Coordinates of all heavy atoms in Angstrom, one line a residue:
M1 N 12.6 -25.2 -361.7 CA 13.1 -24.1 -360.9 C 13.7 -23.0 -361.8 O 14.4 -23.3 -362.7 CB 14.1 -24.6 -359.9 CG 13.6 -25.6 -358.9 SD 14.9 -26.0 -357.6 CE 14.6 -24.6 -356.6
T2 N 13.4 -21.8 -361.3 CA 13.9 -20.7 -362.0 C 15.3 -20.3 -361.6 O 15.7 -20.7 -360.4 CB 13.0 -19.4 -362.0 OG1 13.0 -19.0 -360.6 CG2 11.6 -19.8 -362.4
P3 N 16.1 -19.6 -362.3 CA 17.5 -19.2 -361.9 C 17.4 -18.3 -360.6 O 18.2 -18.4 -359.7 CB 18.0 -18.4 -363.0 CG 17.3 -18.9 -364.2 CD 16.0 -19.2 -363.7
V4 N 16.3 -17.5 -360.5 CA 16.2 -16.7 -359.2 C 16.0 -17.6 -358.0 O 16.5 -17.3 -356.9 CB 15.1 -15.7 -359.4 CG1 14.8 -14.9 -358.1 CG2 15.4 -14.7 -360.6
S5 N 15.1 -18.6 -358.1 CA 14.8 -19.5 -357.0 C 16.1 -20.3 -356.6 O 16.3 -20.6 -355.4 CB 13.7 -20.4 -357.2 OG 14.0 -21.3 -358.3
I6 N 16.9 -20.7 -357.6 CA 18.1 -21.4 -357.3 C 19.1 -20.5 -356.7 O 19.8 -20.9 -355.7 CB 18.7 -22.0 -358.6 CG1 17.8 -23.1 -359.2 CG2 20.1 -22.6 -358.4 CD1 18.2 -23.5 -360.6
A7 N 19.3 -19.3 -357.1 CA 20.1 -18.3 -356.5 C 19.7 -18.0 -355.0 O 20.5 -17.9 -354.2 CB 20.2 -17.0 -357.3
S8 N 18.4 -17.9 -354.9 CA 17.8 -17.6 -353.6 C 18.2 -18.8 -352.6 O 18.5 -18.6 -351.4 CB 16.3 -17.5 -353.7 OG 15.7 -17.2 -352.4
L9 N 18.0 -20.0 -353.1 CA 18.3 -21.2 -352.2 C 19.8 -21.3 -351.8 O 20.1 -21.4 -350.7 CB 17.9 -22.5 -353.0 CG 18.2 -23.8 -352.3 CD1 17.4 -23.9 -351.0 CD2 18.0 -24.9 -353.1
I10 N 20.6 -21.1 -352.8 CA 22.1 -21.1 -352.6 C 22.5 -20.0 -351.6 O 23.2 -20.2 -350.7 CB 22.9 -21.1 -353.9 CG1 22.6 -22.4 -354.7 CG2 24.3 -20.9 -353.7 CD1 23.1 -22.3 -356.1
L11 N 22.0 -18.8 -351.9 CA 22.4 -17.6 -351.0 C 21.9 -17.8 -349.6 O 22.6 -17.6 -348.6 CB 21.9 -16.3 -351.6 CG 22.7 -15.7 -352.7 CD1 22.0 -14.5 -353.2 CD2 24.1 -15.3 -352.1
G12 N 20.7 -18.4 -349.5 CA 20.1 -18.6 -348.1 C 20.9 -19.6 -347.4 O 21.1 -19.4 -346.2
L13 N 21.3 -20.7 -348.1 CA 22.1 -21.7 -347.4 C 23.5 -21.2 -347.0 O 24.0 -21.4 -346.0 CB 22.3 -22.9 -348.3 CG 21.0 -23.8 -348.5 CD1 21.2 -24.9 -349.5 CD2 20.5 -24.3 -347.1
A14 N 24.1 -20.4 -347.9 CA 25.4 -19.8 -347.6 C 25.4 -18.8 -346.5 O 26.2 -18.9 -345.6 CB 26.0 -19.1 -348.9
F15 N 24.4 -17.9 -346.5 CA 24.2 -17.0 -345.4 C 24.0 -17.8 -344.1 O 24.5 -17.4 -343.0 CB 23.1 -16.0 -345.6 CG 23.5 -15.0 -346.6 CD1 22.6 -14.5 -347.6 CD2 24.8 -14.4 -346.6 CE1 22.9 -13.6 -348.5 CE2 25.1 -13.4 -347.6 CZ 24.2 -13.0 -348.5
A16 N 23.2 -18.7 -344.0 CA 22.9 -19.6 -342.9 C 24.1 -20.3 -342.3 O 24.4 -20.3 -341.2 CB 21.7 -20.6 -343.1
L17 N 24.9 -20.9 -343.3 CA 26.1 -21.5 -342.9 C 27.1 -20.6 -342.3 O 27.7 -20.9 -341.3 CB 26.7 -22.2 -344.1 CG 28.0 -22.9 -343.9 CD1 27.9 -24.1 -342.9 CD2 28.6 -23.4 -345.2
M18 N 27.3 -19.4 -342.9 CA 28.3 -18.5 -342.4 C 27.8 -17.9 -341.0 O 28.6 -17.8 -340.1 CB 28.5 -17.3 -343.3 CG 29.3 -17.7 -344.6 SD 30.9 -18.5 -344.2 CE 31.8 -17.0 -343.6
T19 N 26.5 -17.7 -340.8 CA 26.0 -17.3 -339.6 C 26.3 -18.3 -338.5 O 26.8 -18.0 -337.4 CB 24.5 -17.0 -339.6 OG1 24.3 -16.0 -340.6 CG2 24.0 -16.5 -338.3
L20 N 26.1 -19.5 -338.8 CA 26.3 -20.7 -337.9 C 27.8 -20.8 -337.6 O 28.3 -21.0 -336.4 CB 25.8 -22.0 -338.5 CG 25.9 -23.2 -337.6 CD1 25.0 -23.1 -336.4 CD2 25.6 -24.4 -338.4
L21 N 28.7 -20.6 -338.6 CA 30.2 -20.6 -338.4 C 30.5 -19.5 -337.4 O 31.4 -19.7 -336.5 CB 30.9 -20.6 -339.7 CG 30.9 -21.9 -340.5 CD1 31.6 -21.6 -341.8 CD2 31.5 -23.0 -339.8
F22 N 30.0 -18.3 -337.6 CA 30.4 -17.2 -336.7 C 29.8 -17.4 -335.3 O 30.5 -17.0 -334.3 CB 29.8 -15.9 -337.3 CG 30.7 -15.3 -338.4 CD1 30.2 -15.2 -339.7 CD2 32.0 -15.0 -338.1 CE1 31.0 -14.7 -340.6 CE2 32.8 -14.5 -339.2 CZ 32.3 -14.3 -340.4
I23 N 28.7 -18.1 -335.2 CA 28.2 -18.4 -333.8 C 29.1 -19.4 -333.1 O 29.5 -19.3 -332.0 CB 26.8 -18.9 -333.9 CG1 25.8 -17.8 -334.2 CG2 26.3 -19.5 -332.5 CD1 24.4 -18.2 -334.5
F24 N 29.6 -20.4 -333.9 CA 30.6 -21.3 -333.4 C 31.9 -20.6 -333.0 O 32.5 -20.9 -332.0 CB 30.9 -22.4 -334.4 CG 29.9 -23.5 -334.5 CD1 29.7 -24.1 -335.7 CD2 29.2 -23.9 -333.4 CE1 28.7 -25.1 -335.8 CE2 28.2 -24.9 -333.5 CZ 28.0 -25.5 -334.7
R25 N 32.3 -19.6 -333.8 CA 33.5 -18.8 -333.5 C 33.3 -18.0 -332.2 O 34.3 -17.8 -331.5 CB 33.8 -17.9 -334.7 CG 35.1 -17.3 -334.7 CD 36.2 -18.3 -334.9 NE 37.5 -17.7 -334.6 CZ 38.4 -17.4 -335.6 NH1 38.1 -17.6 -336.8 NH2 39.5 -16.8 -335.2
I26 N 32.1 -17.5 -332.0 CA 31.8 -16.8 -330.8 C 32.1 -17.7 -329.6 O 32.7 -17.4 -328.6 CB 30.4 -16.2 -330.7 CG1 30.3 -15.0 -331.7 CG2 30.0 -15.7 -329.4 CD1 28.9 -14.6 -332.0
V27 N 31.6 -18.9 -329.6 CA 31.7 -19.9 -328.6 C 33.2 -20.3 -328.4 O 33.7 -20.3 -327.3 CB 30.9 -21.2 -328.9 CG1 31.2 -22.3 -327.8 CG2 29.4 -20.8 -328.8
L28 N 33.9 -20.3 -329.5 CA 35.3 -20.7 -329.4 C 36.2 -19.5 -328.7 O 37.2 -19.8 -328.2 CB 35.9 -20.9 -330.8 CG 35.6 -22.3 -331.4 CD1 36.1 -22.4 -332.8 CD2 36.1 -23.4 -330.5
T29 N 35.7 -18.2 -328.8 CA 36.4 -17.2 -328.1 C 36.3 -17.4 -326.6 O 37.1 -16.8 -325.9 CB 35.8 -15.8 -328.5 OG1 34.4 -15.7 -328.1 CG2 36.0 -15.5 -329.9
W30 N 35.4 -18.2 -326.1 CA 35.3 -18.4 -324.6 C 36.5 -19.4 -324.2 O 36.7 -19.5 -323.0 CB 34.0 -19.0 -324.3 CG 32.8 -18.2 -324.6 CD1 32.8 -16.8 -324.8 CD2 31.4 -18.6 -324.8 NE1 31.5 -16.4 -325.1 CE2 30.7 -17.5 -325.1 CE3 30.8 -19.8 -324.6 CZ2 29.3 -17.5 -325.3 CZ3 29.4 -19.9 -324.8 CH2 28.7 -18.8 -325.2
Y31 N 37.0 -20.1 -325.1 CA 38.1 -21.0 -324.8 C 39.4 -20.6 -325.5 O 39.7 -21.1 -326.6 CB 37.7 -22.4 -325.2 CG 36.4 -22.9 -324.6 CD1 35.2 -22.7 -325.3 CD2 36.4 -23.3 -323.3 CE1 34.0 -23.1 -324.7 CE2 35.2 -23.8 -322.7 CZ 34.0 -23.6 -323.4 OH 32.8 -24.0 -322.8
P32 N 40.1 -19.7 -324.9 CA 41.3 -19.2 -325.6 C 42.4 -20.2 -325.8 O 43.3 -20.1 -326.6 CB 41.8 -18.0 -324.8 CG 41.2 -18.2 -323.4 CD 39.9 -19.0 -323.7
Q33 N 42.4 -21.3 -325.0 CA 43.4 -22.3 -325.1 C 43.2 -23.2 -326.3 O 44.1 -24.0 -326.7 CB 43.5 -23.2 -323.8 CG 42.3 -24.2 -323.6 CD 41.1 -23.5 -323.0 OE1 41.0 -22.3 -322.9 NE2 40.2 -24.4 -322.7
V34 N 42.1 -23.1 -327.1 CA 41.8 -23.9 -328.2 C 42.8 -23.6 -329.3 O 42.9 -22.4 -329.6 CB 40.4 -23.8 -328.6 CG1 40.1 -24.5 -330.0 CG2 39.4 -24.3 -327.6
N35 N 43.4 -24.6 -330.0 CA 44.3 -24.4 -331.1 C 43.4 -24.3 -332.4 O 42.9 -25.4 -332.8 CB 45.3 -25.5 -331.2 CG 46.3 -25.2 -332.3 OD1 46.3 -24.3 -333.0 ND2 47.3 -26.1 -332.3
L36 N 43.2 -23.2 -333.0 CA 42.4 -23.1 -334.2 C 43.0 -23.6 -335.5 O 42.4 -23.6 -336.5 CB 42.1 -21.6 -334.4 CG 41.2 -21.0 -333.3 CD1 41.0 -19.5 -333.5 CD2 39.9 -21.6 -333.2
T37 N 44.2 -24.1 -335.4 CA 44.9 -24.6 -336.6 C 44.7 -26.1 -336.7 O 45.0 -26.7 -337.7 CB 46.4 -24.3 -336.6 OG1 47.0 -25.0 -335.4 CG2 46.7 -22.9 -336.6
K38 N 44.0 -26.8 -335.7 CA 43.8 -28.2 -335.7 C 42.3 -28.5 -335.9 O 41.4 -27.7 -335.5 CB 44.3 -28.8 -334.4 CG 45.8 -28.8 -334.3 CD 46.2 -29.6 -333.0 CE 47.7 -29.5 -332.9 NZ 48.2 -30.3 -331.8
L39 N 42.0 -29.6 -336.6 CA 40.6 -30.0 -336.8 C 40.0 -30.4 -335.4 O 40.7 -30.8 -334.6 CB 40.6 -31.3 -337.7 CG 40.7 -30.9 -339.2 CD1 40.8 -32.2 -340.0 CD2 39.6 -30.0 -339.7
P40 N 38.8 -30.2 -335.2 CA 37.7 -29.6 -336.0 C 37.7 -28.1 -336.0 O 36.8 -27.5 -336.7 CB 36.5 -30.3 -335.5 CG 36.8 -30.4 -334.0 CD 38.3 -30.7 -333.9
F41 N 38.5 -27.5 -335.1 CA 38.4 -26.1 -335.0 C 38.8 -25.3 -336.2 O 38.3 -24.2 -336.5 CB 39.2 -25.7 -333.7 CG 38.9 -26.4 -332.5 CD1 39.8 -27.2 -331.9 CD2 37.6 -26.3 -332.0 CE1 39.4 -28.0 -330.8 CE2 37.2 -27.0 -330.9 CZ 38.2 -27.9 -330.2
S42 N 39.7 -25.8 -337.0 CA 40.1 -25.1 -338.2 C 39.0 -25.0 -339.2 O 39.0 -24.1 -340.1 CB 41.4 -25.8 -338.8 OG 41.1 -27.1 -339.2
A43 N 38.0 -26.0 -339.2 CA 36.9 -25.9 -340.1 C 36.0 -24.7 -339.8 O 35.3 -24.3 -340.7 CB 36.1 -27.2 -339.9
V44 N 36.1 -24.2 -338.6 CA 35.4 -23.0 -338.2 C 36.3 -21.8 -338.5 O 35.8 -20.7 -339.0 CB 34.9 -23.0 -336.8 CG1 34.3 -21.7 -336.3 CG2 34.0 -24.2 -336.6
A45 N 37.5 -21.9 -338.2 CA 38.5 -20.7 -338.2 C 38.8 -20.3 -339.6 O 38.9 -19.1 -340.0 CB 39.7 -21.0 -337.4
V46 N 39.0 -21.3 -340.5 CA 39.5 -20.9 -341.9 C 38.5 -20.1 -342.6 O 38.9 -19.1 -343.2 CB 39.9 -22.3 -342.7 CG1 40.1 -22.0 -344.1 CG2 41.2 -22.8 -342.0
P47 N 37.2 -20.5 -342.7 CA 36.3 -19.6 -343.5 C 35.9 -18.3 -342.9 O 35.5 -17.4 -343.5 CB 35.0 -20.5 -343.6 CG 35.2 -21.6 -342.7 CD 36.6 -21.7 -342.3
T48 N 36.1 -18.2 -341.5 CA 35.7 -17.0 -340.8 C 36.8 -16.0 -340.7 O 36.5 -14.8 -340.6 CB 35.1 -17.3 -339.5 OG1 36.0 -18.0 -338.7 CG2 33.8 -18.1 -339.6
E49 N 38.0 -16.4 -340.7 CA 39.1 -15.5 -340.4 C 39.3 -14.4 -341.4 O 39.7 -13.3 -341.1 CB 40.4 -16.3 -340.2 CG 41.6 -15.5 -339.7 CD 41.3 -14.9 -338.3 OE1 40.5 -15.5 -337.5 OE2 41.7 -13.8 -337.9
P50 N 39.1 -14.7 -342.7 CA 39.2 -13.6 -343.7 C 38.2 -12.4 -343.4 O 38.5 -11.2 -343.8 CB 38.9 -14.2 -345.1 CG 39.2 -15.6 -344.8 CD 38.9 -15.9 -343.4
F51 N 37.1 -12.6 -342.8 CA 36.1 -11.6 -342.4 C 36.6 -11.0 -341.1 O 36.4 -9.7 -340.9 CB 34.8 -12.2 -342.2 CG 34.2 -12.7 -343.4 CD1 34.2 -14.1 -343.8 CD2 33.5 -11.9 -344.4 CE1 33.7 -14.6 -344.9 CE2 33.0 -12.4 -345.5 CZ 33.0 -13.7 -345.9
L52 N 37.1 -11.7 -340.1 CA 37.4 -11.3 -338.8 C 38.6 -10.4 -338.7 O 38.7 -9.4 -338.0 CB 37.5 -12.4 -337.8 CG 36.2 -13.2 -337.6 CD1 36.5 -14.4 -336.7 CD2 35.1 -12.4 -337.1
A53 N 39.7 -10.8 -339.5 CA 40.9 -10.0 -339.4 C 40.8 -8.6 -339.7 O 41.3 -7.7 -338.9 CB 41.9 -10.7 -340.3
P54 N 40.2 -8.2 -340.8 CA 40.0 -6.8 -341.1 C 39.1 -6.0 -340.1 O 39.3 -4.9 -339.7 CB 39.5 -6.7 -342.5 CG 39.5 -8.0 -343.1 CD 39.7 -8.9 -341.9
T55 N 38.1 -6.8 -339.6 CA 37.2 -6.2 -338.6 C 37.9 -5.9 -337.3 O 37.6 -4.9 -336.7 CB 36.0 -7.1 -338.4 OG1 35.4 -7.5 -339.7 CG2 34.9 -6.4 -337.6
R56 N 38.8 -6.8 -336.9 CA 39.5 -6.5 -335.7 C 40.4 -5.3 -335.8 O 40.7 -4.6 -334.7 CB 40.4 -7.7 -335.4 CG 39.7 -8.9 -334.8 CD 40.7 -10.0 -334.3 NE 39.9 -11.2 -334.2 CZ 40.1 -12.2 -335.0 NH1 40.9 -12.2 -336.0 NH2 39.4 -13.3 -334.8
K57 N 40.8 -4.9 -337.0 CA 41.7 -3.7 -337.1 C 40.7 -2.4 -336.9 O 41.2 -1.4 -336.4 CB 42.3 -3.7 -338.5 CG 43.4 -4.7 -338.6 CD 44.0 -4.7 -340.0 CE 45.0 -5.8 -340.2 NZ 45.5 -6.0 -341.5
L58 N 39.5 -2.6 -337.4 CA 38.5 -1.4 -337.2 C 38.0 -1.3 -335.8 O 37.8 -0.3 -335.3 CB 37.4 -1.5 -338.2 CG 37.8 -1.4 -339.7 CD1 36.6 -1.7 -340.6 CD2 38.3 0.0 -340.0
V59 N 37.6 -2.5 -335.3 CA 37.0 -2.6 -333.9 C 37.9 -3.5 -333.1 O 37.7 -4.7 -333.1 CB 35.6 -3.1 -334.0 CG1 34.9 -3.1 -332.7 CG2 34.7 -2.4 -335.0
P60 N 38.8 -3.0 -332.3 CA 39.7 -3.8 -331.5 C 38.9 -4.4 -330.4 O 37.8 -4.0 -330.0 CB 40.7 -2.8 -331.0 CG 40.1 -1.5 -331.0 CD 39.1 -1.6 -332.2
P61 N 39.4 -5.5 -329.8 CA 38.7 -6.2 -328.7 C 38.4 -5.2 -327.5 O 39.3 -4.3 -327.2 CB 39.7 -7.2 -328.2 CG 40.5 -7.5 -329.4 CD 40.6 -6.2 -330.2
I62 N 37.2 -5.3 -327.0 CA 36.8 -4.4 -325.9 C 37.0 -5.2 -324.6 O 36.2 -6.2 -324.3 CB 35.4 -3.9 -326.1 CG1 35.3 -3.2 -327.4 CG2 34.9 -3.1 -324.9 CD1 33.9 -2.8 -327.8
G63 N 37.8 -4.7 -323.7 CA 38.0 -5.4 -322.5 C 38.5 -6.8 -322.6 O 38.2 -7.7 -321.8
G64 N 39.3 -7.0 -323.7 CA 39.8 -8.4 -323.9 C 38.8 -9.3 -324.6 O 39.1 -10.5 -324.9
V65 N 37.6 -8.8 -325.0 CA 36.6 -9.6 -325.6 C 36.5 -9.2 -327.1 O 36.3 -8.0 -327.4 CB 35.2 -9.4 -325.0 CG1 34.1 -10.1 -325.7 CG2 35.3 -9.7 -323.5
D66 N 36.7 -10.2 -327.9 CA 36.7 -9.9 -329.4 C 35.2 -9.9 -329.9 O 34.5 -11.0 -329.8 CB 37.4 -11.1 -330.1 CG 37.4 -10.9 -331.7 OD1 37.2 -9.7 -332.1 OD2 37.8 -11.8 -332.3
I67 N 34.7 -8.8 -330.3 CA 33.3 -8.7 -330.7 C 33.1 -8.7 -332.2 O 32.0 -8.7 -332.7 CB 32.7 -7.3 -330.2 CG1 33.3 -6.1 -330.7 CG2 32.6 -7.3 -328.6 CD1 32.6 -4.9 -330.5
S68 N 34.2 -8.9 -333.0 CA 34.1 -9.0 -334.4 C 33.2 -10.2 -334.9 O 32.4 -10.0 -335.9 CB 35.4 -9.0 -335.1 OG 36.2 -10.1 -334.6
P69 N 33.2 -11.4 -334.3 CA 32.2 -12.3 -334.7 C 30.8 -11.9 -334.5 O 29.9 -12.3 -335.4 CB 32.5 -13.6 -333.9 CG 33.9 -13.4 -333.3 CD 34.1 -11.9 -333.2
I70 N 30.5 -11.2 -333.5 CA 29.1 -10.8 -333.2 C 28.7 -9.8 -334.3 O 27.6 -9.8 -334.8 CB 29.1 -10.1 -331.8 CG1 29.4 -11.2 -330.8 CG2 27.7 -9.5 -331.5 CD1 29.7 -10.6 -329.4
I71 N 29.6 -8.9 -334.7 CA 29.4 -8.0 -335.8 C 29.0 -8.7 -337.1 O 28.0 -8.4 -337.8 CB 30.6 -7.0 -336.0 CG1 30.7 -6.1 -334.8 CG2 30.4 -6.2 -337.3 CD1 32.0 -5.3 -334.8
W72 N 29.8 -9.7 -337.4 CA 29.5 -10.5 -338.6 C 28.2 -11.3 -338.6 O 27.6 -11.6 -339.6 CB 30.7 -11.3 -339.0 CG 31.7 -10.4 -339.7 CD1 32.9 -9.9 -339.1 CD2 31.6 -9.9 -341.0 NE1 33.5 -9.1 -340.1 CE2 32.8 -9.1 -341.2 CE3 30.7 -10.1 -342.0 CZ2 33.0 -8.4 -342.4 CZ3 31.0 -9.4 -343.2 CH2 32.1 -8.6 -343.4
V73 N 27.9 -11.8 -337.4 CA 26.6 -12.5 -337.3 C 25.4 -11.6 -337.6 O 24.6 -11.9 -338.4 CB 26.3 -13.1 -335.9 CG1 24.9 -13.5 -335.7 CG2 27.3 -14.2 -335.6
G74 N 25.6 -10.4 -337.1 CA 24.6 -9.3 -337.5 C 24.6 -8.9 -339.0 O 23.5 -8.8 -339.6
I75 N 25.7 -8.8 -339.6 CA 25.8 -8.4 -341.0 C 25.2 -9.5 -341.9 O 24.4 -9.3 -342.7 CB 27.2 -8.2 -341.4 CG1 27.7 -6.9 -340.7 CG2 27.4 -8.1 -342.9 CD1 29.2 -6.6 -340.9
F76 N 25.6 -10.8 -341.6 CA 25.1 -11.9 -342.4 C 23.6 -12.1 -342.2 O 22.9 -12.5 -343.1 CB 25.9 -13.2 -342.2 CG 27.1 -13.3 -343.0 CD1 28.3 -13.1 -342.5 CD2 27.1 -13.6 -344.3 CE1 29.5 -13.2 -343.2 CE2 28.2 -13.7 -345.1 CZ 29.4 -13.5 -344.6
S77 N 23.1 -11.9 -341.0 CA 21.7 -12.1 -340.7 C 20.9 -11.0 -341.5 O 19.8 -11.3 -342.1 CB 21.4 -12.0 -339.2 OG 22.0 -13.0 -338.5
L78 N 21.5 -9.8 -341.5 CA 20.8 -8.7 -342.2 C 20.8 -8.9 -343.7 O 19.7 -8.7 -344.3 CB 21.5 -7.3 -341.9 CG 21.0 -6.1 -342.6 CD1 19.6 -5.8 -342.1 CD2 21.9 -4.9 -342.4
L79 N 21.9 -9.3 -344.2 CA 22.0 -9.6 -345.7 C 21.0 -10.7 -346.1 O 20.4 -10.7 -347.1 CB 23.4 -10.0 -346.1 CG 24.4 -8.9 -346.1 CD1 25.8 -9.4 -346.4 CD2 24.0 -7.9 -347.2
R80 N 20.9 -11.8 -345.2 CA 20.0 -12.9 -345.5 C 18.6 -12.4 -345.5 O 17.8 -12.8 -346.4 CB 20.2 -13.9 -344.4 CG 19.4 -15.2 -344.8 CD 19.7 -16.3 -343.8 NE 19.0 -17.5 -344.2 CZ 18.5 -18.3 -343.3 NH1 18.6 -18.2 -342.1 NH2 17.8 -19.4 -343.8
E81 N 18.2 -11.6 -344.5 CA 16.8 -11.1 -344.5 C 16.5 -10.1 -345.7 O 15.5 -10.2 -346.3 CB 16.6 -10.3 -343.3 CG 16.0 -10.9 -342.1 CD 14.8 -11.9 -342.4 OE1 13.8 -11.3 -343.0 OE2 14.9 -13.0 -342.2
M82 N 17.5 -9.3 -346.1 CA 17.3 -8.4 -347.2 C 17.2 -9.1 -348.5 O 16.5 -8.6 -349.4 CB 18.5 -7.3 -347.2 CG 18.4 -6.4 -346.1 SD 19.8 -5.2 -346.1 CE 19.9 -4.6 -347.6
L83 N 17.9 -10.2 -348.7 CA 18.0 -10.8 -350.0 C 17.0 -12.0 -350.1 O 16.3 -12.1 -351.1 CB 19.4 -11.3 -350.3 CG 20.4 -10.2 -350.5 CD1 21.8 -10.8 -350.7 CD2 20.0 -9.4 -351.7
V84 N 16.9 -12.9 -349.1 CA 16.1 -14.1 -349.2 C 15.1 -14.2 -348.1 O 14.4 -15.3 -348.0 CB 17.0 -15.4 -349.3 CG1 17.8 -15.3 -350.5 CG2 17.9 -15.5 -348.0
G85 N 14.9 -13.2 -347.3 CA 13.9 -13.3 -346.3 C 12.5 -13.2 -346.8 O 12.3 -13.2 -348.0
Q86 N 11.4 -13.1 -345.9 CA 10.1 -13.1 -346.4 C 9.8 -12.0 -347.4 O 9.0 -12.1 -348.3 CB 9.1 -13.1 -345.2 CG 9.1 -14.3 -344.5 CD 8.1 -14.2 -343.3 OE1 7.6 -13.2 -343.0 NE2 7.7 -15.4 -342.8
Q87 N 10.4 -10.8 -347.1 CA 10.2 -9.7 -348.1 C 11.5 -9.3 -348.7 O 11.7 -8.1 -349.0 CB 9.6 -8.5 -347.2 CG 8.2 -8.8 -346.7 CD 7.7 -7.6 -345.9 OE1 8.3 -6.6 -345.7 NE2 6.4 -7.8 -345.6
G88 N 12.4 -10.3 -348.9 CA 13.7 -10.0 -349.5 C 13.6 -9.7 -351.0 O 12.6 -10.0 -351.6
L89 N 14.7 -9.2 -351.5 CA 14.7 -8.9 -352.9 C 14.5 -10.1 -353.8 O 13.7 -10.0 -354.8 CB 16.0 -8.2 -353.3 CG 16.2 -6.8 -352.6 CD1 17.7 -6.3 -352.9 CD2 15.2 -5.8 -353.1
L90 N 15.2 -11.1 -353.6 CA 15.1 -12.3 -354.4 C 13.7 -13.0 -354.2 O 13.1 -13.6 -355.2 CB 16.3 -13.3 -354.1 CG 17.6 -12.9 -354.6 CD1 18.6 -13.9 -354.2 CD2 17.6 -12.6 -356.1
T91 N 13.2 -13.0 -353.0 CA 11.9 -13.5 -352.8 C 10.8 -12.8 -353.6 O 9.9 -13.3 -354.1 CB 11.6 -13.5 -351.2 OG1 12.6 -14.2 -350.6 CG2 10.2 -14.2 -350.9
M92 N 11.0 -11.5 -353.6 CA 10.0 -10.7 -354.3 C 10.1 -10.9 -355.8 O 9.1 -10.7 -356.6 CB 10.2 -9.2 -354.0 CG 9.8 -8.9 -352.5 SD 10.3 -7.3 -352.0 CE 8.8 -6.4 -352.5
L93 N 11.3 -11.2 -356.3 CA 11.5 -11.5 -357.8 C 10.9 -12.8 -358.2 O 10.5 -13.0 -359.3 CB 12.9 -11.5 -358.2 CG 13.6 -10.1 -358.1 CD1 15.1 -10.3 -358.5 CD2 13.0 -9.2 -359.2
M94 N 10.7 -13.8 -357.2 CA 10.1 -15.0 -357.6 C 8.7 -14.9 -357.8 O 7.8 -14.8 -357.8 CB 10.5 -16.1 -356.6 CG 11.9 -16.5 -356.5 SD 12.3 -17.9 -355.5 CE 11.9 -17.4 -353.9

């Protein structure tokens, strides 16, 4: 395996994991009574909150609905396609 293919694999898995965590975070916004400091919910909240907190300052909740996780699902999906997708930069380097 070349270093580019290893980097592509690691980045692809990281982007997929973060996208999945943000999708779980979207589902958790439907249940405001959930305590995000307790397991298993903290396993979703801890890695996503550093991304969501600054985004909430730029894009406040609309009608009481926090759309910042949706924004990050789009960003991570776009980055994954651009870097490791079928015509991504790392895929083209391999």
Side-chain angles (χ1 to χ4, degrees):
M1 293 188 84
T2 65
V4 174
S5 64
I6 293 170
S8 177
L9 177 66
I10 291 171
L11 278 175
L13 290 173
F15 286 141
L17 176 65
M18 287 306 290
T19 302
L20 186 64
L21 287 174
F22 281 115
I23 290 172
F24 284 147
R25 192 68 190 255
I26 291 168
V27 172
L28 286 176
T29 61
W30 299 341
Y31 303 98
Q33 73 277 10
V34 170
N35 186 355
L36 294 177
T37 60
K38 293 186 179 181
L39 282 174
F41 307 115
S42 64
V44 174
V46 169
T48 57
E49 193 59 33
F51 295 96
L52 296 176
T55 308
R56 284 190 197 107
K57 292 178 184 173
L58 294 173
V59 182
I62 299 171
V65 177
D66 183 16
I67 62 166
S68 56
I70 298 167
I71 293 169
W72 280 104
V73 166
I75 290 171
F76 274 104
S77 297
L78 177 66
L79 287 173
R80 184 172 185 218
E81 266 315 299
M82 288 175 52
L83 293 175
V84 296
Q86 287 183 347
Q87 295 180 353
L89 296 174
L90 292 177
T91 305
M92 294 171 87
L93 287 174
M94 290 192 295

